[in-house]
């Protein structure tokens, strides 16, 4: 029980570091929550016009999930990797420091899956790229990658990791409910389209 508790707390705390907010403040851009959609992830950071900051946010958000998984694997054993990984995404989505109002967890989810089983993470990233290239919706690309992730995990990593991926997919779909409604109504902004109040995943 102590090891499970340690995996949950460590994973959550790592995941809850709001890199998008920290980086934009350090760059003198103010509070990212007051810009665009108000989200703390890379997509909204990109709305500041600073591509370098957006890329750094993307890598760091993915990296914190990967670090949570790596630490759990090294210190607590492979069986607790799914616990730490899921906790890291929860931390990103619901950070205690920001009143539990965080991002949507796509980068952190993909980083977690990449560290847990690189073929799974790579397959999810490839799915995102292909879907985004075909349809030009970042949110749709994320949703398709999340939906397919349990199948990728079952094939490449086994049932335990498939269960983690399924849980992360459910969480991701919940966080994207507004995007799903906009996609259905035809109101979701496309990649490279005009700036709107619509929110893409991060």
């Amino acid at each position: 029980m102590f090891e499970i508790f340690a995996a949950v707390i460590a994973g959550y705390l790592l995941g809850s570091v709001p890199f998008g907010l920290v980086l934009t403040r350090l760059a003198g851009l103010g509070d990212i929550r007051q810009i665009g959609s108000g989200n703390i992830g890379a997509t909204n950071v990109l709305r500041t016009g600073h591509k370098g900051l957006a890329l750094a946010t993307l890598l760091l958000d993915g990296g914190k999930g990967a670090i949570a998984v790596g630490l759990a694997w090294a210190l607590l054993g492979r069986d607790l990797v799914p616990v730490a990984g899921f906790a890291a995404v929860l931390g990103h989505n619901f950070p205690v420091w920001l009143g539990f109002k965080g991002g949507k967890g796509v980068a952190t989810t993909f980083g977690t899956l990449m560290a847990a089983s690189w073929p799974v993470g790579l397959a999810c990233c490839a799915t995102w790229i292909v879907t985004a290239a075909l349809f030009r919706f970042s949110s749709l690309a994320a949703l398709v990658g999340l939906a397919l992730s349990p199948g990728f995990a079952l094939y490449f990593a086994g049932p335990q990791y498939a269960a983690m991926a399924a849980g992360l997919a459910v969480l991701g779909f919940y966080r994207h409910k507004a995007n799903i409604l906009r996609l259905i109504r035809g109101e979701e902004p496309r990649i490279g389209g005009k700036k709107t109040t619509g929110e893409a995943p991060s």
Side-chain angles (χ1 to χ4, degrees):
M1 288 300 297
F2 173 78
E3 291 180 342
I4 294 174
F5 180 77
V8 170
I9 295 301
Y12 177 85
L13 291 177
L14 279 168
S16 67
V17 180
F19 284 114
L21 178 62
V22 172
L23 291 177
T24 49
R25 280 186 169 172
L26 289 175
L29 300 176
D31 191 336
I32 188 65
R33 294 170 296 178
Q34 305 301 319
I35 298 172
S37 66
N39 195 274
I40 63 170
T43 298
N44 202 39
V45 174
L46 185 60
R47 292 190 175 107
T48 67
H50 290 70
K51 294 181 180 179
L53 283 181
L55 178 59
T57 301
L58 179 68
L59 294 176
L60 289 169
D61 281 348
K64 63 189 182 184
I67 290 172
V69 165
L71 288 176
W73 199 322
L75 300 177
L76 302 173
R78 188 175 187 269
D79 289 344
L80 289 179
V81 162
V83 176
F86 190 84
V89 179
L90 276 179
H92 177 80
N93 291 353
F94 308 102
V96 64
W97 329 111
L98 304 180
F100 302 102
K101 297 178 181 179
K104 298 189 177 181
V106 177
T108 307
T109 294
F110 286 4
T112 295
L113 294 174
M114 185 74 75
S117 174
W118 68 264
V120 178
L122 191 62
C124 290
C125 291
T127 299
W128 190 98
I129 291 170
V130 171
T131 307
L134 289 174
F135 299 102
R136 310 300 295 172
F137 290 111
S138 178
S139 56
L140 178 63
L143 291 167
V144 173
L146 290 168
L148 295 180
S149 65
F152 294 145
L154 183 63
Y155 181 80
F156 289 113
Q160 188 178 17
Y161 285 16
M164 175 184 69
L168 292 174
V170 170
L171 180 60
F173 268 72
Y174 171 74
R175 295 292 289 166
H176 282 82
K177 55 185 183 296
N179 300 84
I180 294 170
L181 290 175
R182 285 195 294 271
L183 284 166
I184 292 172
R185 295 195 298 257
E187 299 172 355
E188 183 75 342
R190 292 180 182 269
I191 296 172
K194 292 182 179 180
K195 179 179 175 180
T196 71
T197 58
E199 168 64 11
S202 56

